[in-house]
Amino acid sequence: MKTDAAVQKSTESKKKNSFKRSSRQRAKASLFAQGEPMIWLTGGGLVVSLMMIAGLMTLIVINGINTLWPKPVDLFVTYDNKPYMGEITRVEHFNPAKSELHQHQEKVNSDAVAYFEKHNGIAKRMLVRTGNFDLSGEHYNWVNEYDVREHTTPEQACVVERTSWGRFYGFPSAFLYNGEVIAQDDNQIWETFNKHHKEVRKRWRTQRKLETHEIGKINFYEEKERLKLREKELKFGIESEQWNTQNDHFKSFHARSQSAYEDIRTEINSLKEENDKYKIRFTTADNKEKIIPLADIVRMYPANSLTFFDRMNIYLSRWHEFLFDEPREANSEGGVFPAIFGTVVMTVIMSLAVVPFGVMAALYLREYAKGGLVVSTIRISINNLAGVPSIVFGVFGLGFFCYMVGASIDDIFFAARLPNPTFGKGGILWASMTLALMTLPVVIVATEEALSAVPNSMREGSYACGAGKWQTIWRIVLPRAMPGIMTGMILAMARGAGEVAPLMLVGAVKLAPELPVDGMFPFVHLERSFMHLGFHIYDLGFQSQNSEAAKPMVFTTTLLLITIVFILNMLAVKLRRKLRKKFVSAKF
Amino acid sequence: MKNKPGLRKGNFFESIAKGERIVTETHAEINNEDITLDVKEFNLFYGAKQALFDINIKIPKGKVTSLIGPSGCGKSTLLRSVNRINDLLSIVRIEGNMYLNDDPIYDPAVDVIELRKRMGMVFQKPNPFPMTIFENVVYPLRIDGERNKNVLAEVCEKSLRGAALWEEVKDRLNDSALAISGGQQQRLCIARAIAAEPEVLLMDEPCSALDPIATNKIEDLIDAMRGEYTILMVTHNMQQAARTSDYTAFMYLGRLIEYGPTGTIFQAPHCQETSDYVTGRFG
Ligand SMILES: Nc1ncnc2c1ncn2[C@@H]1O[C@H](COP(=O)(O)OP(=O)(O)O)[C@@H](O)[C@H]1O
Ligand SMILES: [Mg+2]
């Protein structure tokens, strides 16, 4: 008050006694004082990060979406009369050496010389997916444009996706039934193909199912019986009374499963026999003949005479296969369903494990611990844990979960199966636990923050009602902190779902034929190895034999992984919004 | 201004400055009342800093007693000592004792949680819990493990009626308590505080965060609760104390200066300092 009055007085007196301005003038507001450059600087930072994100996403989305779109088939014939037929996967420009140019001059084609003159010495080359690995030993071939004498897109050229050997490109020449030609001209062949393909594939799928599921089931249950017998042996000794009863039981069980096995085998054989009757004969571009059983053909289409809707159909059917089928051809073809399943299950188990532990730890730190040196040391350690490279967690998980905890579980519960490990190796449970450990700091920090954001007045209100400490925490503090805890969970999920390095050590594998959840008792098999989209990406990109074919799938798989993480996050965000509405928003 | 005749000339301010002990001017009318809460020789320290000095006060049963005094004089501290909410702060140390219907409040043998169940408290800022209106009201019963739906519903209605809120929220008991207005929230907090039928109801400036209309409603409510509940209320607002309370205690710098019937305190206080404060000469 006083100072205000004093200031007022002095300004008044100034007004009164001078038109002279004081010699000391205030500096003009500089550009920096106004903050104009800062707007540009901060805005620029934002733009750069946005552009990076947008660029990455565009790359992934465009490539991911394009991969499965059916391309036309091109036929190149070079000057030395070699035909290359297939899909163009990549185009490059390069600067061929002078010596190579001279070679070509010496050789037949003078057109090549003209080509070079026209293009200033820069040449184009195409990576053509020629397929037919079983015949040529190559999946891809580089074709230089200046080598090409003739370029056509033959109407009858046909792309065949098969269960093994990769793609096949050729011209169908006959449809065989029981070794006899029943269709020869193009239309007839397609007609017969469309007529029989579905049922043949259906039989093939039934056969696969019998081979994997049914026979797997028999093996599974027989193995169980065998383990029971072994258990008795370990417990009571061989030839003991208990062992004998079990052995008799085992023998009768074995006999029964043996006959069941025989039945299934007969069924499989009859299916196979029926399917073996249908075959298609092809001629390749270099005039070789190839007979492919219809059952091996996943998809076949005349790539150059497709309408837009045909293409769309193939595209969608490929997406369907990609999402819901198992991989084939060393993962470079087929679907990624096991990997999707493994990723989701692992992320869910991880969240279920990390949230309770993280919340409990944070509750102790925030609500019970008295503070002081020990607690701050613990806090710093937890924060540092977040900076430990994830592979270190993988090593720890392998050593601790697999080799210590898992091996102990094996010793106690699965002794009969030793020396084969059950839990004493990588598996989805240990992978989830390892990632839970890795993401624990995120959850603890977020929860602590959420807990400290709960107004003290609420705690006091609860105590004033006669509530105890735990009642207050359970009924007031936790619900109110729940949205913040969910934030922690979302961050943990996003980090965990995208993590690959530690998984390689604790259970993610290239190919896991058995899902961690299936129809065989006890239905959930947490000890099993599993496939994971992140690991799948790594495997496709860097471990694949047919890496050119696998590479485009990297983008598609990445797109899928991002989508899954996004969906999981959206679900969590939705849940959080619901909780926030219920517990936090206070409108006056 | 000249001292009015009959005023006690203790010159408290000088004594306080000298660190002398203050003897509260307690009016004789208190002695005719039934006493619910009896504070005896109570001192409280926040660490090394003493916040309450030799407080002696008897809170009469079924009456509204208000604590007035300038900001920072220890009103809230005294109130929060009654239900031992201050115990949650580790730096707090006390001397002396209080008695709730002759049961000691500060005693190693006392179960603090049981003790708090015998009291209700309403805070300065409405603090409804993040749950439904219904669950807010029956919270004290819930923590006692009450599950009988009929009992809960009955208590909920009774308490909400007691807090003059029933008519406004009876159709949306299952809505979030955070969605109603501030004044309604404060009445909800009152309903919650009276749900377990407390022996004493503590209110710490219950209207200071509310608009005048909501304030009026709460004041009417307090008026209506007179006789049924023993209310100890802190207020910053002297008109409010004058309007709503039967007895008024004036605190200053951690000391209880004068305590008597509200009419006397405002019209003819025994102490010069009280007179100065209620006439607005300082504070
Ligand atoms: N948590 C605390 N820690 C330390 N000092 C406190 C604390 N709470 C209140 N005090 C001090 O105790 C004195 C009384 O405070 P308070 O009871 O809140 O006053 P009033 O409610 O009358 O305004 C004040 O001087 C204040 O600074
Ligand atoms: Mg206060």
Side-chain angles (χ1 to χ4, degrees), chain A residues 370 457-469 471-472 475-476 479-480 580-588, chain B residues 80 83 85 88 113 116-117 119 121 123 126-131 139-140 142-144 176 178-182 185 192:
Chain A
K370 282 278 187 297
S457 68
M458 285 212 179
R459 290 192 181 84
E460 286 181 348
S462 174
Y463 290 130
C465 287
K469 183 139 198 168
Q471 283 175 320
T472 302
R475 288 169 181 272
I476 309 292
R480 168 73 198 223
R580 191 172 279 162
K581 222 179 194 164
K582 201 164 156 197
F583 293 132
V584 183
S585 79
K587 277 178 247 135
F588 282 94
Chain B
R80 292 158 60 87
N83 66 353
I85 284 283
L88 298 172
I113 289 178
R116 289 191 190 128
K117 285 179 180 171
M119 311 178 185
M121 189 167 199
F123 294 80
N127 58 349
F129 299 144
M131 26 174 115
Y139 185 77
R142 282 270 188 227
I143 57 177
D144 288 349
S176 168
L178 305 172
I180 56 179
S181 76
Q185 283 183 350
R192 185 174 73 199

Side-chain angles (χ1 to χ4, degrees), chain B residues 106-173:
Chain B
Y106 287 90
D107 191 286
V110 168
D111 180 348
V112 183
I113 289 178
E114 290 305 314
L115 178 83
R116 289 191 190 128
K117 285 179 180 171
R118 297 167 62 184
M119 311 178 185
M121 189 167 199
V122 178
F123 294 80
Q124 194 164 348
K125 250 184 77 185
N127 58 349
F129 299 144
M131 26 174 115
T132 63
I133 293 174
F134 180 84
E135 286 299 329
N136 257 281
V137 179
V138 301
Y139 185 77
L141 283 79
R142 282 270 188 227
I143 57 177
D144 288 349
E146 180 63 65
R147 292 228 175 125
N148 188 326
K149 281 225 169 78
N150 297 332
V151 174
L152 292 174
E154 202 176 298
V155 169
C156 176
E157 175 167 356
K158 188 164 159 262
S159 309
L160 284 173
R161 280 192 194 284
L165 190 60
W166 176 251
E167 292 302 325
E168 288 164 58
V169 300
K170 66 180 176 195
D171 298 325
R172 44 181 180 141
L173 292 177

Side-chain angles (χ1 to χ4, degrees), chain B:
Chain B
M1 252 214 203
K2 279 274 159 63
N3 288 350
K4 281 183 197 157
L7 277 184
R8 200 185 83 173
K9 295 187 194 120
N11 212 342
F12 287 87
F13 295 171
E14 244 168 57
S15 310
I16 289 172
K18 281 189 213 145
E20 285 168 3
R21 183 190 161 94
I22 303 293
V23 177
T24 307
E25 173 70 20
T26 305
H27 296 205
E29 284 87 339
I30 312 288
N31 298 330
N32 303 331
E33 299 279 359
D34 271 353
I35 301 303
T36 293
L37 180 70
D38 191 357
V39 180
K40 285 184 176 159
E41 288 298 315
F42 194 78
N43 289 283
L44 186 143
F45 304 82
Y46 287 114
K49 186 183 171 234
Q50 188 165 6
L52 294 177
F53 296 79
D54 309 311
I55 305 291
N56 285 289
I57 187 171
K58 294 178 190 312
I59 308 300
K61 184 176 180 181
K63 296 285 159 67
V64 179
T65 306
S66 54
L67 289 172
I68 61 171
S71 189
C73 70
K75 308 180 294 289
S76 299
T77 303
L78 178 58
L79 198 75
R80 292 158 60 87
S81 304
V82 177
N83 66 353
R84 295 185 60 172
I85 284 283
N86 265 342
D87 282 17
L88 298 172
L89 300 171
S90 53
I91 53 165
V92 168
R93 189 166 56 81
I94 63 108
E95 286 166 8
N97 211 335
M98 304 183 179
Y99 299 87
L100 179 64
N101 290 322
D102 297 331
D103 300 328
I105 289 176
Y106 287 90
D107 191 286
V110 168
D111 180 348
V112 183
I113 289 178
E114 290 305 314
L115 178 83
R116 289 191 190 128
K117 285 179 180 171
R118 297 167 62 184
M119 311 178 185
M121 189 167 199
V122 178
F123 294 80
Q124 194 164 348
K125 250 184 77 185
N127 58 349
F129 299 144
M131 26 174 115
T132 63
I133 293 174
F134 180 84
E135 286 299 329
N136 257 281
V137 179
V138 301
Y139 185 77
L141 283 79
R142 282 270 188 227
I143 57 177
D144 288 349
E146 180 63 65
R147 292 228 175 125
N148 188 326
K149 281 225 169 78
N150 297 332
V151 174
L152 292 174
E154 202 176 298
V155 169
C156 176
E157 175 167 356
K158 188 164 159 262
S159 309
L160 284 173
R161 280 192 194 284
L165 190 60
W166 176 251
E167 292 302 325
E168 288 164 58
V169 300
K170 66 180 176 195
D171 298 325
R172 44 181 180 141
L173 292 177
N174 288 321
D175 283 9
S176 168
L178 305 172
I180 56 179
S181 76
Q184 288 174 324
Q185 283 183 350
Q186 193 62 305
R187 275 178 284 148
L188 181 66
C189 292
I190 294 176
R192 185 174 73 199
I194 62 178
E197 305 192 332
E199 291 165 42
V200 61
L201 188 54
L202 310 167
M203 296 184 171
D204 191 353
E205 305 197 32
C207 303
S208 65
L210 304 181
D211 60 76
I213 295 171
T215 301
N216 264 342
K217 279 193 179 157
I218 303 261
E219 282 180 13
D220 290 347
L221 174 60
I222 292 170
D223 203 37
M225 290 164 89
R226 198 189 309 278
E228 206 172 332
Y229 296 94
T230 304
I231 296 177
L232 177 57
M233 176 175 75
V234 169
T235 176
H236 197 71
N237 175 331
M238 275 180 285
Q239 285 78 31
Q240 190 173 62
R243 277 196 300 266
T244 53
S245 60
D246 304 299
Y247 289 93
T248 298
F250 168 57
M251 287 181 73
Y252 185 71
L253 288 180
R255 281 86 172 170
L256 185 58
I257 306 289
E258 186 169 357
Y259 177 38
T262 299
T264 328
I265 292 288
F266 281 94
Q267 257 99 54
H270 294 182
C271 305
Q272 178 65 46
E273 290 77 10
T274 314
S275 165
D276 287 351
Y277 182 71
V278 298
T279 51
R281 224 154 301 150
F282 75 92

